[in-house]
Amino acid sequence: MSVFEHRSFDDHERVAFCQDKASGLRAIVAIHNTRLGHALGGCRMFPYRNSYEALDDVLRLSRGMTYKAALANLPLGGGKSVIIGDPRQHKSEALLQAMGCFIDSFNGAYVVAEDSGINEQDVRVMATRTAHVAGVGGDGGVRQHGDPSPATAHGVLAGISYAARSCLGRTDLEGLRVAIQGLGNVGYELARQLRARGAQLWVADTVPERVQQAISELGATGVGVADIFSQPVDVVAPCALGAVIDDLALNQLRARVIAGSANNQLAYDDLGKALQARGICYLPDYVINAGGLMEVHFQRQGISREDSYRRIGSQIEATLAQIIERATARGEASNQVADELARQRLEGKQQPVGNAA
Ligand code: NAD
């Protein structure tokens, strides 16, 4: 298997593999770019079928973190790690400790946080072997929990509020119709916050109990997973998986805005142009879902949660406004404008908007 020739290699600075036979750890750390600062990114544990699949995932995710941090105006680079294995079967204290040792070997060039399959408690176990962890509180004890999901939801809400004003001509979210795909850590919290502002909700999840809970707690309308994108709504919020906006979804969509937390929402890049041609405003995923990254960074800086949330909201709105205004003025796709701005920021050609850092 080649690494330098890999289709997702994209000039990564470091890619390291680790095997610890005693604990069964097989892991990869990818550091994409540290021009703006050390790399900060989550650790994902997933039963990849082989190491090629794991490498592909970690490379794509770490590049995404570089762009996310750049446009969130953070002094951070992009990196990510993956552990090959089923978190329900193969996770153990010894394996997490070995992962902590692996992370420590980067001397702070890579800082780990939680991602799917790895929770806050797991990161705390890694922290017994390395100081280079985030997302576990760490602000002098003010935050008991470091889970970034509520902050991610807060950022998505800020993005939806921006789109409601600028794309839908609304002054508030009262009566806004939103379809949420996925009621997990981010999606359910987003649903709660939207409901508190008077929005009407349509929801879908592969776990029926989550849908039932949203129906009874939030007055949401439950729909089948295959039908969520065809609902008569103003906004669609993908908060489950990547690559969900594909040709089929494009034909089904009735919403004028796509604004959700999932990473890599577009099945392929040119879909951004197709959405733009149909007059659908797509808020680029790595911009609108940056609230969690910002929160874990601010935790490490000792910034209060209140201040963190204020910065997340204003930064995400400012960056989205810059992207959408430029895309509209030039008739370009929002995802392409976001990529261009991120690259310019990395090259020092673009001053960031907002005041997050
Ligand atoms: P999660 O695993 O808690 O929730 C995902 C939910 O989606 C689950 O309830 C799952 O049952 C549901 N789901 C899976 N397949 C589905 C389908 N086909 N249709 C409908 N529902 C489906 O994950 P999360 O932490 O809430 O993250 C959601 C998304 O946001 C992920 O793509 C994640 O990578 C991204 N994200 C999360 C954060 C964060 O802070 N948690 C930050 C940035 C990006």
Side-chain angles (χ1 to χ4, degrees):
M1 175 180 43
S2 63
V3 176
F4 293 118
E5 294 78 19
H6 193 286
R7 61 184 168 149
S8 306
F9 180 69
D10 191 40
D11 286 332
H12 266 73
E13 289 176 10
R14 289 166 84 176
V15 182
F17 298 75
C18 175
Q19 173 168 256
D20 177 65
K21 277 198 166 170
S23 65
L25 176 72
R26 289 170 74 217
I28 310 173
V29 169
I31 300 178
H32 177 245
N33 188 303
T34 54
R35 190 170 294 181
L36 300 177
H38 65 258
L40 196 164
C43 174
R44 177 170 290 188
M45 184 164 184
F46 187 79
Y48 298 103
R49 281 174 301 180
N50 51 53
S51 52
Y52 186 84
E53 219 178 71
L55 178 65
D56 194 44
D57 205 28
V58 76
L59 291 175
R60 281 188 318 106
L61 289 165
S62 70
R63 174 184 180 271
M65 293 306 290
T66 300
Y67 281 27
K68 186 183 298 201
L71 286 193
N73 193 7
L74 296 173
L76 294 174
K80 206 89 180 179
S81 56
V82 293
I83 298 175
I84 300 170
D86 185 336
R88 283 165 303 184
Q89 285 181 41
H90 304 125
K91 205 192 280 179
S92 67
E93 187 140 331
L95 179 138
L96 294 168
Q97 286 167 347
M99 187 65 189
C101 293
F102 182 31
I103 287 154
D104 203 54
S105 69
F106 295 90
N107 293 318
Y110 169 64
V111 175
V112 72
E114 47 269 64
D115 199 281
S116 64
I118 293 292
N119 59 33
E120 183 176 345
Q121 182 50 33
D122 300 331
V123 179
R124 287 184 194 276
V125 177
M126 294 181 199
T128 61
R129 296 294 185 275
T130 181
H132 306 299
V133 299
V136 289
D139 55 355
V142 177
R143 287 177 181 82
Q144 281 187 329
H145 301 289
D147 175 14
S149 305
T152 304
H154 177 72
V156 175
L157 184 74
I160 291 176
S161 304
Y162 162 76
R165 283 198 312 277
S166 68
C167 309
L168 303 173
R170 287 172 168 266
T171 49
D172 58 31
L173 303 186
E174 187 68 41
L176 185 77
R177 299 167 304 167
V178 185
I180 303 179
Q181 181 188 47
L183 292 169
N185 293 322
V186 179
Y188 203 90
E189 180 59 26
L190 176 67
R192 248 195 262 276
Q193 294 187 21
L194 281 166
R195 186 68 202 119
R197 283 160 183 78
Q200 279 179 268
L201 305 174
W202 280 254
V203 297
D205 198 294
T206 43
V207 179
E209 293 76 28
R210 294 191 183 151
V211 175
Q212 204 47 54
Q213 191 184 350
I215 293 170
S216 50
E217 273 185 11
L218 309 172
T221 302
V223 296
V225 289
D227 300 323
I228 191 69
F229 289 148
S230 57
Q231 298 307 309
V233 294
D234 306 299
V235 178
V236 153
C239 297
L241 314 162
V244 290
I245 306 296
D246 55 12
D247 292 318
L248 177 66
L250 183 69
N251 288 326
Q252 289 179 331
L253 280 170
R254 295 161 77 183
R256 284 174 54 206
V257 173
I258 300 174
S261 73
N263 284 311
N264 302 322
Q265 287 169 31
L266 302 186
Y268 55 92
D269 269 359
D270 278 351
L271 273 172
K273 282 189 201 146
L275 291 169
Q276 195 245 353
R278 278 200 47 197
I280 298 172
C281 177
Y282 168 63
L283 303 187
D285 44 22
Y286 64 80
V287 179
I288 192 172
N289 74 13
L293 175 67
M294 296 171 81
E295 163 67 4
V296 293
H297 171 68
F298 293 145
Q299 283 175 23
R300 296 187 94 225
Q301 303 288 306
I303 290 170
S304 72
R305 188 184 293 257
E306 193 186 14
D307 196 14
S308 165
Y309 275 44
R310 189 187 51 71
R311 293 186 197 205
I312 289 168
S314 65
Q315 178 66 48
I316 287 178
E317 286 203 33
T319 308
L320 287 172
Q322 185 187 29
I323 292 166
I324 300 301
E325 281 164 22
R326 188 179 289 199
T328 307
R330 295 182 183 173
E332 288 174 3
S334 56
N335 59 317
Q336 287 169 345
V337 171
D339 287 355
E340 181 192 336
L341 282 172
R343 282 192 294 268
Q344 288 175 349
R345 166 106 214 268
L346 287 169
E347 289 160 9
K349 292 181 190 156
Q350 173 74 37
Q351 285 309 307
V353 293
N355 59 355

